[in-house]
Amino acid sequence: MSNPDVIVVGSGASATSAALPLVRAGRSVLMLDVGNRDTRYAPLIAPAPFSSLRQTDEGQHRYFLGDAFEGVPLGQARAGTTLTPPRQFIHRDTHRHTPLCSEGFFAFESLALGGLGSGWGAVAVQFDDHDLADFPIKHRDLAAHYASVSARIGLSGARDDLLPYYGDCASLQPALDLDSNARLIYQRYERKRERLNGAGFFLGRARLAALSRDLGDRKGHAYHDMDFYADNGRSVFRPWYTVEELGAYANFRYVSPYLVNRFRELPANSGVEVEAVDLTLGRREYFRSRCLVLAAGTLGTARIVLRSLGGYGTRVPLVANANSWWPCLHLAMLGKPADDRRHSLTQLAIVFDPGHCGRIPVHAQTYSYRSLLLFKLVKEVPLAVPEAFGILRELVNAFVVVNFFHEDRPSPDKYCALRRGESGQPDVLEIRCTIDREVQRRQVRTEKALLRQFRRLGCWPVKRISPGYGSSIHYGGTVPMTVEERELTVTPECRLRGTRAVYLVDGSVLPYMPAKALTLTLMANAERVATLLNGELARTCVAA
Ligand SMILES: Cc1cc2nc3c(=O)[nH]c(=O)nc-3n(C[C@H](O)[C@H](O)[C@H](O)COP(=O)(O)OP(=O)(O)OC[C@H]3O[C@@H](n4cnc5c(N)ncnc54)[C@H](O)[C@@H]3O)c2cc1C
């Protein structure tokens, strides 16, 4: 494909959401991606329930533990420690091609086909106007795109107490079935709703990009509890399905493994030139197009922008949802058997809005615990391993793990800067983040206030696990969307300032991180930008 209309960098949730409307509108699109895949483990996993694989599959150790025991994380829980061996390809080669040096930030990037979305937890909620208060766009700018992305990827959930916070969705499928643990919590919540709501505690079914009913050739969830390992039935949305769908169009081409270094705009409005390294041959190549769409992830896009605009050493902001885990004991489940039929994703979600003002400081998600296996929990118990295993075996059905996500704002103490690599080595992205002590104390206070209400549902917190800032893998803000003209920002249409035809469509453009999962918004925004870009391309064609 020579001189396509648009080059898209990346194949993740953002890149594919930008490419699809352009391709459907007849634009020629070239997607450049590193595009690592898992060819080792996926073929080993039969589409069967976790319990029967544990009892019958003689080769199960390979995908549960890993051929090199890479599924057994040692040390403190950090970003990506829940990723099982079949999901670890997501992170492969990043230390080599996109090195980082960070202090106070635990970064996790992807060079995979489908990006981080090849292992995401599929929580998919809308940002409302409270969340978008610090953005130069409003919910009405995204509404049509939330609707079309949701219908395309398939969302399940319920119109319950969380609806005012999550937004409605015409194509919403019924929520996935709750497991025994979550069902009891939900029943108790229904009895105590009034009092809990009075304290600003709202509980509901998770809103997930996971099917409860068939959609096209994807299947409704089979409740095998294997979501951390396999994509059975394609029930959980992964961006690589969209790359496959795009592959059916003659005006689309996917090229990998290419690592994009930089771009430059060509004189006389004649488009953009992209420099990339063919990672198979180790050779630089140049591609030209009318426009460029960058979706290499919040940190990856920052690297490309800084390198292209000569911004070595320049500090750019970074935001991320601070997160923590609280294992809780659900007393009503003690000694009770748990359902075998279940999914492994978020069961219930909690919005905490103590001020009843709509702008929430924290969002929490609950999980039951089984298929991640007990050895991951054992090291968190202050007992000898055999005793810890014995106790955990008795308690595991009664565990509810609550995962908290806090809002985050930019500050001068949180930034990254690109350092030029020495003697042919790759450039290094340096990240420095210091979190204000008072902000941290406030976050813990908010978590404890929420958990006080959770105790009314019979769930008693055991301990707080803090995997460190950055471990949420919800990143944004490196080249934010602003109204005012500033260097290293994008316009509300996400055009990089100082360029004519370079657009950014991933987390890099989020000026602020609301306390909600970001990816559905990244996808809706990418589709919005691509739709505007398509109009722009049509106008320039007519003018020419
Ligand atoms: C375990 C886990 C659970 C998560 N759970 C949730 C959740 O429940 N809900 C939610 O909203 N979010 C969740 N997230 C975060 C979510 O996955 C990301 O926000 C989202 O996938 C980001 O998509 P993206 O396309 O913007 O970037 P990425 O997924 O990072 O994609 C970047 C793409 O660019 C390519 N690339 C990078 N650099 C280059 C380069 N120089 N040249 C060429 N190609 C390049 C990569 O190959 C990749 O295809 C989770 C993430 C993880 C890891």
Side-chain angles (χ1 to χ4, degrees):
M1 186 184 277
S2 63
N3 287 0
D5 291 318
V6 183
I7 289 177
V8 175
V9 178
S11 64
S14 306
T16 49
S17 300
L20 193 63
L22 287 165
V23 168
R24 283 182 174 161
R27 302 287 160 206
S28 51
V29 173
L30 175 68
M31 183 172 275
L32 293 175
D33 187 26
V34 176
N36 287 334
R37 299 161 196 238
D38 164 41
T39 48
R40 178 190 289 243
Y41 294 115
L44 304 177
I45 308 173
F50 170 77
S51 51
S52 74
L53 292 173
R54 289 285 286 139
Q55 281 161 17
T56 59
D57 186 358
E58 288 180 1
Q60 58 178 280
H61 59 280
R62 294 198 57 197
Y63 48 88
F64 284 132
L65 303 180
D67 286 344
F69 294 102
E70 69 273 25
V72 187
L74 301 171
Q76 217 189 324
R78 291 292 181 213
T81 38
T82 56
L83 285 177
T84 59
R87 301 291 189 208
Q88 290 190 11
F89 76 100
I90 295 170
H91 192 41
R92 202 166 66 219
D93 297 334
T94 51
H95 63 288
R96 192 148 56 102
H97 297 310
T98 53
L100 284 159
C101 148
S102 67
E103 215 173 81
F105 191 86
F106 297 92
F108 190 93
E109 289 186 89
S110 177
L111 293 173
L113 172 65
L116 296 167
S118 292
W120 75 322
V123 172
V125 299
Q126 299 179 23
F127 287 2
D128 58 24
D129 275 337
H130 293 288
D131 303 315
L132 294 166
D134 293 347
F135 285 58
I137 55 171
K138 297 274 161 269
H139 185 270
R140 63 170 179 273
D141 299 307
L142 292 171
H145 306 293
Y146 275 132
S148 81
V149 169
S150 302
R152 173 168 68 81
I153 68 175
L155 295 196
S156 57
R159 293 185 176 84
D160 54 20
D161 290 355
L162 301 186
L163 185 67
Y165 298 95
Y166 287 178
D168 207 351
C169 163
S171 59
L172 193 66
Q173 296 192 349
L176 293 185
D177 295 346
L178 293 176
D179 66 13
S180 30
N181 211 348
R183 215 165 36 241
L184 283 182
I185 296 173
Y186 195 71
Q187 284 163 1
R188 192 176 273 212
Y189 170 78
E190 286 186 315
R191 292 199 297 273
K192 300 191 169 199
R193 173 181 276 121
E194 207 173 320
R195 188 157 174 206
L196 288 162
N197 289 175
F201 180 101
F202 299 90
L203 180 131
R205 313 292 289 271
R207 181 78 67 88
L208 294 167
L211 305 179
S212 57
R213 304 282 182 271
D214 293 356
L215 181 70
D217 58 359
R218 291 172 54 208
K219 300 284 173 246
H221 206 285
Y223 300 96
H224 285 169
D225 196 12
M226 284 297 289
D227 302 297
F228 290 121
Y229 300 89
D231 296 326
N232 295 339
R234 298 193 173 191
S235 316
V236 179
F237 174 76
R238 308 277 171 213
W240 60 265
Y241 309 157
T242 311
V243 180
E244 263 186 20
E245 182 185 346
L246 284 162
Y249 289 84
N251 52 329
F252 175 79
R253 205 169 140 222
Y254 174 77
V255 187
S256 80
Y258 278 84
L259 183 75
V260 170
N261 280 336
R262 53 169 62 82
F263 62 82
R264 83 182 166 96
E265 288 204 301
L266 299 168
N269 278 355
S270 52
V272 186
E273 183 180 77
V274 176
E275 177 193 297
V277 177
D278 176 340
L279 293 175
T280 311
L281 302 173
R283 190 174 68 190
R284 263 186 229 166
E285 280 187 38
Y286 295 86
F287 301 85
R288 287 183 175 195
S289 59
R290 291 171 68 194
C291 298
L292 173 63
V293 171
L294 291 176
T298 295
L299 302 175
T301 290
R303 277 189 192 88
I304 297 170
V305 167
L306 290 170
R307 203 179 280 126
S308 306
L309 302 185
Y312 283 102
T314 307
R315 292 179 179 185
V316 293
L318 178 61
V319 285
N321 296 122
N323 78 316
S324 69
W325 299 88
W326 282 87
C328 300
L329 263 187
H330 180 199
L331 300 185
M333 280 298 289
L334 280 175
K336 291 216 172 79
D339 288 343
D340 181 38
R341 180 184 176 277
R342 58 167 94 173
H343 66 81
S344 343
L345 307 166
T346 296
Q347 296 280 337
L348 295 167
I350 302 165
V351 160
F352 194 46
D353 184 7
H356 295 273
C357 62
R359 186 159 187 170
I360 56 171
V362 73
H363 181 257
Q365 300 161 193
T366 79
Y367 296 82
S368 297
Y369 197 95
R370 183 175 67 162
S371 62
L372 279 179
L373 302 169
L374 287 183
F375 65 80
K376 285 209 170 78
L377 282 187
V378 156
K379 63 188 172 55
E380 305 295 336
V381 179
L383 291 174
V385 168
E387 281 75 23
F389 261 119
I391 289 176
L392 285 175
R393 250 183 237 116
E394 294 302 317
L395 295 183
V396 71
N397 288 346
F399 268 129
V400 179
V401 182
V402 186
N403 190 11
F404 286 89
F405 292 94
H406 296 270
E407 64 174 347
D408 195 29
R409 297 173 176 286
S411 89
D413 298 331
K414 296 183 288 190
Y415 62 89
C416 45
L418 193 64
R419 305 281 171 213
R420 204 185 286 276
E422 285 167 17
S423 343
Q425 294 301 305
D427 299 334
V428 176
L429 192 69
E430 199 179 278
I431 303 182
R432 296 273 177 274
C433 291
T434 314
I435 309 300
D436 187 285
R437 285 273 160 83
E438 181 42 38
V439 170
Q440 274 174 339
R441 278 196 286 267
R442 198 170 55 227
Q443 288 171 350
V444 176
R445 278 199 303 270
T446 309
E447 290 170 15
K448 287 186 173 167
L450 183 153
L451 288 167
R452 272 198 293 279
Q453 304 307 321
F454 201 44
R455 275 211 296 264
R456 294 182 198 277
L457 301 178
C459 299
W460 290 76
V462 177
K463 74 180 264 197
R464 181 176 198 257
I465 299 172
S466 173
Y469 185 56
S471 304
S472 61
I473 323 185
H474 292 182
Y475 307 142
T478 45
V479 193
M481 224 190 274
T482 59
V483 175
E484 73 277 11
E485 296 270 339
R486 268 195 283 134
E487 273 186 13
L488 294 171
T489 60
V490 298
T491 64
E493 296 75 35
C494 294
R495 183 178 49 75
L496 179 63
R497 290 207 164 89
T499 72
R500 285 184 307 267
V502 178
Y503 293 81
L504 274 50
V505 297
D506 53 23
S508 56
V509 303
L510 303 183
Y512 154 84
M513 203 64 110
K516 280 184 184 167
L518 71 169
T519 308
L520 184 69
T521 300
L522 299 186
M523 297 171 89
N525 186 54
E527 190 189 274
R528 174 184 77 94
V529 174
T531 308
L532 295 170
L533 173 58
N534 184 45
E536 192 60 33
L537 286 167
R539 271 190 297 282
T540 51
C541 260
V542 171

